[in-house]
């Protein structure tokens, strides 16, 4: 029986990236829909639920993507409301690649080490990847700070994390790049996870190289200038100035591997829900 | 040569259900279009007609679906107008599943028996399935009544059937469920085909169980409350109170089988037109 | 690794014709987008560039189609701007079939012969096929005239050809069909390439059959009346009245062969750009 993936997203055009990745993960057919509104979801999901019966249901699955994470989250809620009892299919949520990226980022940082009690800073952490990385780092036992150029945005993110996941994260304000050293020193930061926009420099080389408490730096920005001066995108646990560095391509390669493994795992049974924490657990099993 | 199905429908999003079913029937590639307007049809059909030549044309076919049956019928007309001579491909029409459902419903009722001279009532019969079931039951030799809560809607349906198919069907008014027994008694109904909306109860148990002339009851409503109190959706020729009962899942399973067989049959030659009567003939050959 | 073709076009619905042809050329999956605006292109192309790496990039390619050639040309420019360095995929441009048709048309006319110094007339040549045919004929060494019912349109086309390709083409005005003989005589035309609209007669039989200098006539119009009276659509180098004739079906069959070979060639490396001149070179290798 052919493996069919129903791809749903609110963006006008269903993502090329996610579709190619799904085919590379062994999906036989993608039925893709862009421009999906909340009120479209029920019928589309019924089509997935009621065509193949019983054991065969596991050969159909749903992928939710798109660049706008809140719109994708509304689709995700609606999909889960539509299922009942055993009449359901597996679902993967990866709007804007945020879930697979956060899982790869934190897995690189953990790298088989215990992070218990470490002090982590998620720099420029108010976006989807930053928020998810903060939650995963807290789950690994870190004390987590989440920074933004605007304090209220950091506070908002911290509040969302507490309300939704019951996890405490400290919002911090870093108005200008020059303030970063002081902030990191004051908080005794051991881990810096840089989640800034493409081309946004967040950490100067003399800052990170001279902070004695800092042990691990990771950055998801692949576009020059990188988030961390003096890092290379291909750094994959490279030691520089006594710190371990993980660049955007090393993280991105793992992200792709996670994405493909995740799509494959959708078809094992008909009840898998791959949100970011499930994706992180999956990442740990990949042996990288 | 790959079997390609061109899926056309007026709904915003081409049906998940119909696409999964087509893949399960062995189609290699679906080229699906939602939001198809009448004026789009010619170009899309030219694409099917003029790409592969001669013998190879039979590997391309067209499926017309969508929840709005009249819109689908306009697409169907336009498709058939576009063909000329031998330059054509096979076409299946199954807007809202109405054709395959009606074929499965009437085939369950006939069940290898002769229906010649039987008196059949299509309850809540003004929708696409009801109208098609009425025509097929008349074709099996039944005298057919078609009921609605509004007399004018039943009369409209009967008029449509006479004008389009030259078949006489008697429109009857059943204003409230309590009037059903009297109506069935007066007309000596042997067969009740319930075509109501999901969750609409049409026949009380003490009504159907106590009508001596009634022999066969079928119901396409799978959502509780079912159309027939005391029936189970899985009833598949089950005898209860001396009547044979066919529930929505028994009919639905046959419908799926018909749908898949129909899609397969599209690729045997390039000139098959699968409307509801052709689908009914196909259903008879399935040995169920 | 599966061969994936990203199909982009500005028309509301991505062409059935081009998708079937791509599948027949061995593409495993098409990810098709209709209604593509210029501002959509970058993201779609990023999806093709950044999913598969290095050697694997050649298994993804882009096809640009659609009935509106200028809109397709804007998409084409945007696609090429988006690539950088080796991070690119192969691209085929065939809006409205104009490139493959022009290549097939001129290849039929050349037919293994030298056209050096011949005088060619592209009749009704201001459309996409005509303009491309004029350029290809000039490339084969012909002196080319390009006619239109409106002189300014012919002049515009000639100017575009000179500006864009540095090639001189003589614009000529043929107001009524009766003026064609005189014009052809005056210019000593040896080759007539008819690029008129479907159903538009361009050359009377007593005109072309009595012009002693005329050697080769080709016509892309398959709809009666054909562009050339007394020609058959299936003429494939048929000699009539001492002239060699190539009809629309002979040209169309070669066009299909070119189209399929072109799609196949996209996946040989990740840097092929199939514009009309590359398609013409490809056509010469097909041994027909």
């Amino acid at each position: 029986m052919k493996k069919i993936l129903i791809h749903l997203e609110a963006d006008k055009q269903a993502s090329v990236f996610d579709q190619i990745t799904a085919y590379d993960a062994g999906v036989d057919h993608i039925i893709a829909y862009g421009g999906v509104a909340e009120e479209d979801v029920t019928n589309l999901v019924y089509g997935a639920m009621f065509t193949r019966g019983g054991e065969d249901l596991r050969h159909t699955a749903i992928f939710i993507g798109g660049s706008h994470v809140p719109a994708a989250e509304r689709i995700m809620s609606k999909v889960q409301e539509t299922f009942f009892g055993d009449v359901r299919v597996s679902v993967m949520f990866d709007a804007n690649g945020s879930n697979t990226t956060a899982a790869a980022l934190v897995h690189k940082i953990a790298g088989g080490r215990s992070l218990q009690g470490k002090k982590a800073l998620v720099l420029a952490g108010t976006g989807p990847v930053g928020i998810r990385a903060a939650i995963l780092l807290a789950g690994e036992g870190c004390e987590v700070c989440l920074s933004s150029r605007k304090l209220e945005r950091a506070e908002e993110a911290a509040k969302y994390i507490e309300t939704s996941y019951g996890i405490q994260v400290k919002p911090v304000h870093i108005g200008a790049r020059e303030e970063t050293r002081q902030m990191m020193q004051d908080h005794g930061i051991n881990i810096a996870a840089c989640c800034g926009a493409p081309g946004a420099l967040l950490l100067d080389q003399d800052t990170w190289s001279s902070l004695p408490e800092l042990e691990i730096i990771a950055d998801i920005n692949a576009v020059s200038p990188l988030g961390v001066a003096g890092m290379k995108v291909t750094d994959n646990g490279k030691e520089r100035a006594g710190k371990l560095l993980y660049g955007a391509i090393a993280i991105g390669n793992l992200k792709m591997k996670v994405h493909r493994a995740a799509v494959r795992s959708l078809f094992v049974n008909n009840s898998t829900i791959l949100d970011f924490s499930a994706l992180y657990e999956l990442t740990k099993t990949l042996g990288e």
Side-chain angles (χ1 to χ4, degrees), chain A:
Chain A
M1 181 161 272
K2 298 289 178 68
K3 289 197 275 280
I4 296 180
L5 187 65
I6 316 297
H7 176 122
L8 307 180
E9 66 174 88
D11 290 33
K12 179 183 167 196
Q13 283 133 345
S15 151
V16 167
F17 186 99
D18 292 330
Q19 291 186 71
I20 294 179
T21 307
Y23 283 127
D24 285 346
V27 165
D28 293 302
H29 299 291
I30 298 171
I31 303 178
Y33 301 92
V36 173
E38 238 180 304
E39 62 267 25
D40 301 326
V41 172
T42 307
N43 257 327
L44 296 167
V45 175
Y46 278 161
M49 290 163 66
F50 294 129
T51 329
R52 293 160 155 188
E55 247 310 283
D56 294 338
L57 260 179
R58 73 181 172 88
H59 299 288
T60 306
I62 294 173
F63 178 91
I64 300 168
S67 64
H68 193 243
V69 175
E73 286 173 336
R74 284 193 291 275
I75 293 174
M76 179 71 170
S77 297
K78 201 80 188 173
V79 166
Q80 292 187 281
E81 280 169 30
T82 308
F83 294 154
F84 52 83
D86 290 341
V87 187
R88 58 179 59 242
V89 301
S90 293
V91 185
M92 174 174 174
F93 181 97
D94 198 25
N96 220 8
S98 55
N99 281 354
T100 47
T101 302
L105 170 65
V106 175
H107 188 64
K108 282 291 177 192
I109 290 171
R113 296 171 284 262
S114 166
L115 302 184
Q116 197 63 42
K118 297 284 182 190
K119 290 176 176 62
L121 169 64
V122 183
L123 271 148
T126 60
V129 174
I131 286 174
R132 285 157 170 79
I135 296 166
L136 294 175
L137 285 165
E140 289 291 331
C142 295
E143 291 174 37
V144 180
C145 296
L146 185 156
S147 79
S148 175
R149 276 171 304 178
K150 295 191 175 173
L151 181 60
E152 60 269 36
R153 294 203 59 205
E155 287 174 341
E156 221 175 81
K159 194 170 174 186
Y160 167 78
I161 291 171
E162 183 164 12
T163 311
S164 305
Y165 297 91
I167 285 170
Q168 300 275 350
V169 157
K170 187 179 172 60
V172 297
H173 178 236
I174 303 182
R177 202 163 72 244
E178 296 67 37
E179 304 168 28
T180 316
R181 175 198 296 267
Q182 194 60 48
M183 183 267 145
M184 290 175 78
Q185 222 158 19
D186 291 351
H187 288 81
I189 296 299
N190 310 118
I191 294 166
C194 299
C195 297
L201 174 59
L202 298 175
L203 262 185
D204 291 314
Q205 188 161 1
D206 63 346
T207 299
W208 65 259
S209 61
S210 64
L211 285 164
E213 319 256 33
L214 190 59
E215 301 168 29
I216 302 168
I217 312 172
D219 177 28
I220 64 167
N221 164 14
V223 175
S224 194
L226 303 181
V228 181
M231 178 184 270
K232 288 192 172 162
V233 283
T234 51
D235 280 350
N236 189 15
K238 174 84 182 176
E239 202 177 310
R240 297 187 191 272
K243 327 293 183 198
L244 296 179
L245 271 62
Y246 297 92
I249 285 185
I251 295 166
N253 285 345
L254 178 57
K255 178 231 177 296
M256 288 301 301
K257 204 174 160 183
V258 173
H259 191 147
R260 287 193 296 265
V263 171
R264 278 192 298 272
S265 80
L266 289 172
F267 299 95
V268 173
N269 60 49
N270 73 324
S271 56
T272 298
I273 301 290
L274 290 178
D275 55 13
F276 72 95
S277 59
L279 282 166
Y280 184 57
E281 292 310 311
L282 178 75
T283 305
K284 292 182 188 173
T285 68
L286 296 180
E288 188 165 316

